[in-house]
Amino acid sequence: MNGSYQYCINLTGSPVCGPNVINMNSAYFHCRNLTGNPACGDNVIHMQNAYSSCNNLTGSPVCGPNVEYMTGTYTNCSNLTGNPVCGPNVKSLFWTYYNCLNLTGSPVCGNNVETMEWAYLGCSNLTGEPVCGPNVVSLYGAYSGCTNISGNAICGPNVTNMDYAYRDCKNITRADCGDLVTSFNGTYTGCINLIYAACGNNVISMNNTYADLPKLQFPACGTNVTSMTYTYSNCPSIIKAVCGPNVTSMYRAYSGCTNLTKAVCGPKVTDIQYTYINCHNLKEAVCGDNVWQMVSAYSDCYNL
């Protein structure tokens, strides 16, 4: 069934799948007038983009017991309802449920999944706590825009990339960062109920990681971080700043942290442009020996 009915935009009725089908890649891709429930036979292995943009499908998603690849399977199926599914042999959840606005229940992830990139992006009606399988390597954008998941964020032991993983998950109350994570950009931006930050020791880049969080009080910075661009920008509840020993850029790292009272600057920092702009309660400024860019570093810090 590989691409059998793709772009058959006038196809109506419900999709079918025979018992011997192995490959459903793009089988009903952009068949936007299909209705009813999706189908998947027990022998199917490949479901890449099988129902992508079938936005009139209703019912619950399905996944056969032998499916290994669910890349983009239900992307833009905005009228699917019920709980997401993930078979025991699935390796890829890349873009699987992207923009499935009406999915409910809790997210799922099988033990063999290796990538969850953008898996549940925009699934704003999902509830429950996030999950991450033990073999997942990338959580890039996995739960971005899942505004109704709650509880603790989670990061599996093998994850290396968490960029934007929990962006705008406003009901997440605890951050997490795995020991192998190196990329940590924008991960918790918009998670407005976080109080404590987390950062693993192998993180290199944490740009925008915790920006615009009104309740965050306790920042963190791992020993291998080199870039802190906008990391804690507009976090007005932070009182004490941190900076790791290998950071080179602090561009706007603490801009708008209006209750910050003491600045920091790591020994390798070269850029503190706008780092403490609008930090109205700062009473002490610093500048490291290697800094060569400090445009407006302390602008509007009128208590210095």
Side-chain angles (χ1 to χ4, degrees):
M1 288 188 75
N2 189 1
S4 297
Y5 300 103
Q6 63 179 327
Y7 291 110
C8 292
I9 60 175
N10 291 313
L11 192 66
T12 58
S14 299
V16 294
C17 179
N20 295 313
V21 172
I22 294 173
N23 192 332
M24 284 189 74
N25 287 349
S26 300
Y28 294 101
F29 184 73
H30 272 271
C31 293
R32 60 191 184 208
N33 284 307
L34 282 181
T35 56
N37 298 311
C40 178
D42 286 346
N43 290 307
V44 172
I45 296 174
H46 301 275
M47 282 189 81
Q48 290 100 310
N49 298 306
Y51 295 102
S52 181
S53 297
C54 294
N55 53 10
N56 281 308
L57 280 182
T58 55
S60 300
V62 294
C63 177
N66 291 303
V67 172
E68 295 183 9
Y69 302 100
M70 289 186 76
T71 299
T73 303
Y74 296 105
T75 295
N76 290 320
C77 291
S78 53
N79 283 306
L80 279 182
T81 56
N83 300 316
V85 292
C86 178
N89 294 307
V90 172
K91 297 178 181 178
S92 174
L93 278 176
F94 184 87
W95 286 95
T96 303
Y97 294 104
Y98 165 70
N99 208 30
C100 291
L101 305 177
N102 286 304
L103 278 185
T104 55
S106 299
V108 292
C109 179
N111 287 337
N112 290 305
V113 173
E114 296 170 358
T115 181
M116 287 185 73
E117 292 188 23
W118 305 114
Y120 295 102
L121 174 64
C123 294
S124 54
N125 282 307
L126 281 183
T127 56
E129 296 196 1
V131 292
C132 180
N135 290 305
V136 172
V137 174
S138 180
L139 268 175
Y140 192 110
Y143 295 103
S144 185
C146 293
T147 53
N148 281 306
I149 62 170
S150 58
N152 299 332
I154 188 169
C155 177
N158 289 302
V159 172
T160 60
N161 191 320
M162 284 188 76
D163 289 353
Y164 309 105
Y166 294 98
R167 182 177 60 182
D168 294 327
C169 294
K170 62 183 181 180
N171 289 308
I172 290 291
T173 54
R174 182 175 178 179
D176 189 21
C177 182
D179 291 338
L180 300 182
V181 173
T182 58
S183 194
F184 200 46
N185 300 307
T187 307
Y188 294 104
T189 297
C191 296
I192 58 175
N193 282 302
L194 286 181
I195 295 174
Y196 292 87
C199 181
N201 282 329
N202 285 305
V203 171
I204 296 171
S205 179
M206 58 183 302
N207 301 328
N208 291 291
T209 308
Y210 293 99
D212 303 315
L213 305 186
K215 295 181 181 180
L216 192 77
Q217 298 178 36
F218 303 99
C221 182
T223 55
N224 288 304
V225 172
T226 60
S227 182
M228 286 187 73
T229 299
Y230 280 97
T231 305
Y232 295 104
S233 179
N234 296 318
C235 293
S237 296
I238 292 178
I239 296 174
K240 183 178 180 180
V242 296
C243 179
N246 289 300
V247 173
T248 57
S249 175
M250 289 185 72
Y251 184 88
R252 286 190 178 269
Y254 292 97
S255 60
C257 293
T258 52
N259 284 304
L260 199 64
T261 56
K262 184 176 180 180
V264 295
C265 184
K268 295 183 180 180
V269 173
T270 60
D271 185 353
I272 59 169
Q273 295 180 92
Y274 306 98
T275 301
Y276 296 103
I277 190 171
N278 293 325
C279 293
H280 304 317
N281 283 301
L282 266 187
K283 296 178 173 62
E284 182 180 343
V286 294
C287 180
D289 293 340
N290 289 304
V291 172
W292 60 276
Q293 296 181 95
M294 57 181 302
V295 174
S296 296
Y298 293 96
S299 182
D300 293 322
C301 296
Y302 43 71
N303 278 309
L304 282 176

